[in-house]
Amino acid sequence: MEKHCTDSRVKGVSTGTTILAAIFDGGVVIGSDSRASMGGEYVSSKTINKVIQVHDRIFCCMAGSLADAQAVIKSAKFHLSFHSVQMESPPQVIAAASVLKDLCYKNKDELQAGFLTAGWDKKNGPQVYVVSLGGMLISQQVTIGGSGSTYIYGYVDAKYKPNMTKEECLQFATNALALAMGRDNVSGGVAHLVVITEKGVEHVVVPGDKLPKFHDE
Amino acid sequence: MSSIGTGYDLSASTFSPDGRVFQVEYAMKAVENSSTAIGIRCKDGVVFGVEKLVLSKLYEEGSNKRIFNIDRHIGMAVAGLLADARSLAEVAREESSNFRSNYGHDIPLKHLSDRVAMYVHAYTLYSAVRPFGCSFILGSYDKDDGPQLYMVDPSGISYGYWGCAIGKAKQAAKTEIEKLQMKDMTCRELVKEVAKIIYIVHDEVKDKAFELELSWVGEVTNGRHELVPKDVREEAEKYAKDSLEEEDDSDEDNM
């Protein structure tokens, strides 16, 4: 995913951030850090939640400009809720991702927001989609994003395995976020994780002092 | 059978004193004047059959099709004014295409049926337009949701069905359809029965030549709606003609 740009063209508060999503056997884990910063100098919030629920079994992570991402998600949430009522069934994860993609693509000149969408639906089980800044939509097994993601590509490539158990995947996600938060100055705070399966949704929050520590900490 | 509206039937925006909208009822009569179309849902798919009357020997074979492809996985068989039906097929196609563009997956048939029915209904509200003079049957197959069949009539209501018939011989066709155990049949078996029903309800005296249009969508086509291949169609027509002869023979014996 694109690197977050810290020059003055960025509008207002932006999320220097680390976000990730990964599929395991029977579900998906989506998570993020909790720091919002202004221009890489000032932490405007230590405890922001970047994992937003857009439907019962579908969550999104925001990246880019926080204002833009919040506005897009608000519109998408409404749209999806209406769609779900019309369909008389929960929306498919691809539908949520497509709605976000449309908003990002059609307004690409004004917006600077990207998303990870993860969820579970009856037809295709657990899925993860990436909607990039310009409105590209692709499906992946595991994906990372935000400025902190550059520091953990190696870790994710080496450690991710398909069909992990829920516990293994949670540990993998926590480790990845911790490593990114440890090196990226605009990512930090607590690790917010959400586990989505057919049965339901589980929120896991790992405070800063409980994050895994590595050899030099 | 027909009741005259006398003054309350001039536009779709007028109710009669007994609560009827005559223009809509007249539109349904237009459907009843058209030749029959049937759609039947079986265990693993949906089969459509249309009795396409050939009014002149000069027509090119296969012209003026009454079965349309709405999307890869959805087919539509129509009865009534063909021009109205074509326009609605286009509406249905746009709906499916927009849905896929917005939501990234195939449109569920019930939703498409509701949307097109809403469109048809809109034309029953105003005096500036007339209602659509056609009914149509929509069918699709999905490996998770299975086969689905919906019918929309000129009043703008959509109904879900296991088997349904529209057009002039719909009563006779319905009787024949009710005799079938469709929930236990496969598409290949059903294609022959559909051909047979069309042959049975075709009136040799009043309408002479006809072309049988057959299409299916199901596991046999991997979820794509297609006209039935030539060899299957010929087998089905042969089965239909042979069954009719048998019945004729057995009638003679009884005499």
Side-chain angles (χ1 to χ4, degrees), chain A residues 79 83 87 92 95 98 102 123, chain B residues 99 102-104 111 142 144:
Chain A
H79 199 143
H83 171 69
M87 295 289 122
Q92 292 190 22
S98 295
D102 257 6
K123 199 167 166 81
Chain B
F99 186 94
N102 288 334
Y103 299 108
H111 185 69
D142 174 75
D144 297 309

Side-chain angles (χ1 to χ4, degrees), chain A:
Chain A
M1 253 184 95
E2 290 78 354
K3 241 177 130 79
H4 156 70
C5 40
T6 49
D7 60 41
S8 52
R9 277 186 286 141
V10 172
K11 308 177 277 271
V13 174
S14 20
T15 57
T17 187
T18 311
I19 50 180
L20 66 70
I23 296 179
F24 63 88
D25 183 22
V28 60
V29 168
I30 181 168
S32 75
D33 71 309
S34 68
R35 178 173 293 179
S37 62
M38 280 203 323
E41 291 169 344
Y42 167 66
V43 176
S44 50
S45 171
K46 290 185 270 188
T47 53
I48 194 172
N49 185 6
K50 298 173 201 173
V51 185
I52 310 290
Q53 182 164 27
V54 291
H55 207 268
D56 292 357
R57 296 273 188 286
I58 309 177
F59 281 73
C60 285
C61 265
M62 314 190 268
S65 152
L66 183 59
D68 289 352
Q70 279 188 348
V72 170
I73 283 210
K74 189 169 169 191
S75 170
K77 208 167 157 177
F78 159 75
H79 199 143
L80 217 52
S81 150
F82 186 68
H83 171 69
S84 164
V85 168
Q86 269 191 328
M87 295 289 122
E88 293 172 357
S89 76
Q92 292 190 22
V93 187
I94 179 82
S98 295
V99 167
L100 286 167
K101 177 264 289 171
D102 257 6
L103 286 165
C104 290
Y105 182 76
K106 287 181 178 145
N107 299 295
K108 62 160 80 188
D109 293 339
E110 281 89 23
L111 292 174
Q112 235 187 19
F115 302 92
L116 297 189
T117 307
W120 183 94
D121 66 48
K122 195 155 160 237
K123 199 167 166 81
N124 293 314
Q127 297 146 74
V128 167
Y129 295 93
V130 181
V131 177
S132 70
L133 247 49
M136 173 188 76
L137 170 62
I138 55 175
S139 166
Q140 304 216 277
Q141 289 285 304
V142 61
T143 185
I144 49 179
S147 59
S149 66
T150 53
Y151 306 103
I152 50 172
Y153 274 104
Y155 179 78
V156 168
D157 286 347
K159 288 293 181 180
Y160 176 76
K161 299 185 312 282
N163 295 321
M164 287 190 277
T165 65
K166 181 180 104 170
E167 289 69 28
E168 285 172 342
C169 195
L170 263 175
Q171 190 58 53
F172 158 79
T174 314
N175 287 349
L177 285 173
L179 286 165
M181 293 197 276
R183 288 292 183 179
D184 184 24
N185 68 324
V186 288
S187 296
V190 308
H192 284 291
L193 291 157
V194 175
V195 183
I196 309 166
T197 58
E198 178 178 2
K199 296 200 180 51
V201 161
E202 196 191 319
H203 291 266
V204 177
V205 177
V206 187
D209 55 349
K210 301 273 191 308
L211 282 172
K213 291 193 184 333
F214 300 95
H215 69 94
D216 53 353
E217 293 173 281

Side-chain angles (χ1 to χ4, degrees), chain B residues 77 113 117 135-138 149-154 156-161 164-166 170 174:
Chain B
S113 169
S135 288
F136 52 94
I137 313 176
L138 291 164
L149 189 67
Y150 286 88
M151 192 265 276
V152 177
D153 71 10
I157 315 184
S158 86
Y159 311 77
Y161 281 97
C164 102
I166 48 182
K170 72 173 189 219
K174 278 200 187 123

Side-chain angles (χ1 to χ4, degrees), chain B residues 28-43:
Chain B
M28 300 210 238
K29 293 217 179 97
V31 178
E32 278 166 38
N33 287 337
S34 132
S35 63
T36 319
I38 64 176
I40 309 185
R41 181 177 150 195
C42 63
K43 194 167 61 173

